[in-house]
Structure formats: C-alpha cells, structure tokens
Amino acid sequence: MKILGIDTTDKKLCVCLSLNGKAFFRFSEKANHNSALMPEIDAILKDSGVAISNIDCFSAVVGPGSFTGIRVGISTVSAFAFALSKPLISINSFEIMLHGNDYEAALIDAGHGNYYAGIRENGAIKPIFLEVSDVAAFNKRAIFRGETPYSAESFCSVLNEKAKGKEFSDALIPLYLRAPQAERTFGTFKR
C-alpha cells in the first residue's frame, strides 16, 4: 500500500511516504508550511518515483497544534483524496509521540504554561487540555514534544497499522482542545 502522510501541526513540516512498508521522509523548517508543503510533496514523489495518482490513501495529522497548520494539512490531503477518490486516515500527534514506547502521556506546549495532553487509558489515547498546575503529575511518565527528536518512523508505522486495520475516515476532523485565541479573548461572535 502507498500512503502519503503530512504533519503540519508543528514548527517542522514532515511529509511521509510509505511504500509497502518502506518509508521516505522530507522535512522543512520554513516558517510558512502553506508555501513549503506542495514543493515537499512534489519532491518526495519524485524521489520515490511514485505518481500522485498511484497513492492508495492520504493522511494528515489532525492536531493538536498550530490552528493554521492543522487547516493547511487537512485541506491539502482532503483535496487529493477527493480528486482521486482515495480514502483518508486520521492521525493525531499523540499517536505518533506514544508509538512504540511506554510513556503514560504525551504533552505538547499550548503556550502560557498550558499543555495539550494525550493520556493512555484502557488501550486508547484520551486527548485533554492541562493547565500548568496539572502537568507536574506527568513529568516522569510523559514525553514532551520538542524534548525528543520527531519520529517520522513512528508516523509511518502508525499510518501502516491504521491502513492494515482499515481505519479509514470519510473526512478529517481537526483536533482542537480549546477555543481559538480570538474567541477566548473576545468571546463568541454571533452572526
């Protein structure tokens, strides 16, 4: 199976291509994922010798992370999947971070001392928002994004496991664990 996955939720853009279990990766640290994404997708397809029409399914990390980054990733792969009538695989940052290790939680800095957390519970990963006072409970049992290198191998492994289990989605839904800054600052707007 040929799977194209992208992660636009963090400062480092990752494009992953899994070809029957063999993984290809491309990274970009450009400030604007929107302008870097398509050239990186094009480059990984050229490097691997695969045409976009031969991709079997598409995936994007749905969050948590940068609001704009999440939207860029979901929009891009959803357009490819729609245009080529291919399935989608939904994946979140916590699944990548916790893959292949024994940590109890994965934590992502949400700013102002707060964290997005993925907590292992009964074989599943429960996403929650933690305030700074709650983080200390996980310090020794958690992996923090940014403190360990990004694992593109874990990204591809999770994609392959989901494809093998036929965990396909009709649509990718963003994983937002709190309201956008404007809404938190100014309240909900009615139209």
Side-chain angles (χ1 to χ4, degrees):
M1 178 164 268
K2 299 174 190 76
I3 308 167
L4 180 68
I6 62 171
D7 185 352
T8 54
T9 63
D10 197 15
K11 293 175 186 162
K12 185 183 284 189
L13 163 71
C14 178
V15 178
C16 165
L17 179 62
S18 178
L19 301 178
N20 304 315
K22 183 178 180 185
F24 295 83
F25 313 105
R26 299 230 7 135
F27 294 98
S28 174
E29 293 192 44
K30 291 183 180 175
N32 187 346
H33 290 342
N34 195 31
S35 63
L37 182 57
M38 293 308 290
E40 293 299 335
I41 291 172
D42 188 49
I44 203 166
L45 293 171
K46 284 180 182 172
D47 291 349
S48 64
V50 175
I52 192 76
S53 59
N54 292 331
I55 299 295
D56 296 309
C57 65
F58 294 90
S59 178
V61 177
V62 297
S66 158
F67 180 84
T68 303
I70 292 168
R71 296 306 233 188
V72 166
I74 289 175
S75 298
T76 301
V77 299
S78 295
F80 282 134
F82 178 77
L84 299 169
S85 298
K86 303 290 175 133
L88 293 162
I89 295 175
S90 182
I91 185 171
N92 66 57
S93 300
F94 304 129
E95 292 172 301
I96 297 167
M97 292 172 68
L98 292 171
H99 181 76
N101 64 50
D102 294 327
Y103 288 105
E104 186 177 315
L107 299 174
I108 298 171
D109 188 349
H112 307 290
N114 300 308
Y115 286 85
Y116 303 121
I119 313 296
R120 288 189 204 258
E121 279 187 4
N122 303 321
I125 300 171
K126 177 184 173 185
I128 62 172
F129 181 78
L130 293 177
E131 294 188 7
V132 70
S133 58
D134 301 319
V135 173
F138 295 100
N139 277 344
K140 298 289 184 197
R141 301 169 302 175
I143 185 170
F144 290 80
R145 179 156 76 182
E147 290 184 7
T148 57
Y150 185 91
S151 178
E153 291 84 2
S154 290
F155 185 15
C156 271
S157 292
V158 173
L159 289 178
N160 286 322
E161 289 170 13
K162 287 186 169 218
K164 191 174 185 177
K166 300 194 183 312
E167 294 181 45
F168 300 117
S169 302
D170 293 329
L172 300 179
I173 309 299
L175 176 60
Y176 298 131
L177 298 179
R178 67 177 176 172
Q181 178 68 37
E183 191 173 316
R184 291 191 318 269
T185 303
F186 302 110
T188 305
F189 298 98
K190 293 186 179 183
R191 294 183 183 172

